[in-house]
Amino acid sequence: MIDHLTLRANGAAFHVARLGSGPPLLLLHGWPEFWLTWEPVMARLADRYTLLAPDLRGFGDSDKPDGPFGPDQHAADMVALLDALGLDKAGIVGHDVGGAVMQPLARAAPHRLAGLFFFDFVYPGIGARMAEPDRLNQIWYQSFNQLEIAPTVVGATRESCRAYIGYFLKHWAHRKDAFDDVLEAFTDNFLKPGNLAGGFAHYRASHAGRIKMMKGQAPKLAPIELPTCVRWAERDALFPFAWTDRLSETFTNLDIALLPGVGHFPHREDPDRAATQIATFFKKIGWG
């Protein structure tokens, strides 16, 4: 049975779902998600690992930020959360926003991390490709989500919220039924006070950095040397597999491979394979 914890860290209260026993793995969700997106993977790994799935600040049942809140701030939260959990070190698994958080986290506290496992995410090597003309119909939401009116429009009714959140969960997936069994739970989640604005705070905080990335003006950061595994979906409509070609510039100790037959959400679309890939990587590096 999943335990639901509330822990104080970095001046905020965080909800963390916990299941299993063994070496700890911290699971960081994307948008439009919250801890529940990891439940199928957690069930499959609980006999080998302690799975810890927090709601990032702004999401789920964790506290909400006062304004824009991006990867650097989330990374500071996660270091403090490891302290609150009493963990000297953990393996980290992330997707989408979670993957964006893992990069500053790995630079700020590499000694706290056993290794990094990513599903599809934004990293500096994507560069100008993010905003090429034929991509604009895919990234429009990144601008809309920054508008002050966005939470009001999306949250006007239950139907509008379900339609907006459900659109991305289905459109970005290759296996279109991946979230059908939890769509009402996701709708409930994003209708909770502050959760739409809390998730949108990521886009408001990330905007300036993404513009610099697209213009080729992003600051040069030291490469990340931790053991890193990336499994990138073959059918991701949002982040094409071709965009993995510069990952080795950011990660020096990299295991990268294609995941066939899935879209943007491998952990929900094929949790058996996702769990196997996660367990294989962490066993290989001696974590479990």
Side-chain angles (χ1 to χ4, degrees):
M1 180 178 293
I2 293 177
D3 294 324
H4 293 275
L5 316 176
T6 300
L7 300 168
R8 294 216 47 101
N10 203 22
F14 290 88
H15 167 252
V16 181
R18 180 179 64 189
L19 181 68
S21 60
L25 294 181
L26 193 66
L27 310 177
L28 303 185
H29 62 78
W31 183 90
E33 298 173 278
F34 64 117
W35 80 267
L36 186 62
T37 197
W38 292 112
E39 186 177 33
V41 163
M42 294 171 74
R44 288 159 172 80
L45 292 175
D47 61 338
R48 287 166 279 181
Y49 294 97
T50 300
L51 291 314
L52 299 154
D55 290 327
L56 297 174
R57 191 188 303 226
F59 295 79
D61 291 326
S62 293
D63 279 352
K64 313 308 170 211
D66 294 330
F69 204 84
D72 290 346
Q73 292 79 30
H74 286 302
D77 281 351
M78 292 303 103
V79 173
L81 188 60
L82 289 176
D83 293 339
L85 288 163
L87 299 176
D88 292 329
K89 183 176 284 193
I92 311 291
V93 180
H95 163 253
D96 192 77
V97 172
V101 174
M102 287 164 63
Q103 295 166 75
L105 178 58
R107 292 189 171 97
H111 59 291
R112 306 295 298 273
L113 311 180
L116 310 173
F117 187 104
F118 294 87
F119 295 114
D120 309 32
F121 65 107
V122 173
Y123 77 102
I126 292 173
R129 291 177 288 188
M130 178 78 79
E132 288 176 346
D134 63 354
R135 301 299 305 167
L136 296 180
N137 280 352
Q138 295 293 343
I139 67 166
W140 62 270
Y141 73 96
Q142 296 181 14
S143 296
F144 174 79
N145 286 358
Q146 296 176 53
L147 300 178
E148 289 187 14
I149 198 174
T152 302
V153 172
V154 175
T157 67
R158 182 177 184 83
E159 290 71 24
S160 61
C161 185
R162 183 197 297 112
Y164 191 73
I165 299 303
Y167 169 79
F168 296 103
L169 298 178
K170 191 173 290 285
H171 175 64
W172 289 342
H174 177 61
R175 303 185 183 186
K176 299 300 183 183
D177 62 349
F179 290 91
D180 284 0
D181 62 329
V182 290
L183 180 57
E184 296 306 319
F186 271 64
T187 304
D188 290 340
N189 167 74
F190 280 99
L191 284 172
K192 291 180 179 179
N195 276 6
L196 286 168
F200 294 161
H202 164 77
Y203 294 94
R204 296 173 67 190
S206 301
H207 179 70
R210 290 195 177 183
I211 293 297
K212 288 181 179 179
M213 179 189 77
M214 294 172 194
K215 289 182 174 180
Q217 299 172 354
K220 296 293 184 183
L221 300 173
I224 293 168
E225 298 179 353
L226 285 164
T228 301
C229 184
V230 176
R231 292 295 179 261
W232 205 282
E234 175 190 25
R235 299 299 189 93
D236 192 335
L238 182 60
F239 300 147
F241 179 72
W243 289 1
T244 64
D245 58 347
R246 296 180 61 186
L247 278 168
S248 61
E249 297 173 14
T250 296
F251 305 98
T252 61
N253 186 357
L254 177 64
D255 173 357
I256 168 70
L258 176 75
L259 273 184
V262 291
H264 185 62
F265 305 102
H267 51 293
R268 291 292 308 194
E269 296 181 51
D270 192 344
D272 287 338
R273 188 164 36 160
T276 297
Q277 294 287 334
I278 292 167
T280 298
F281 167 68
F282 283 106
K283 183 177 180 181
K284 183 176 73 172
I285 65 171
W287 193 250

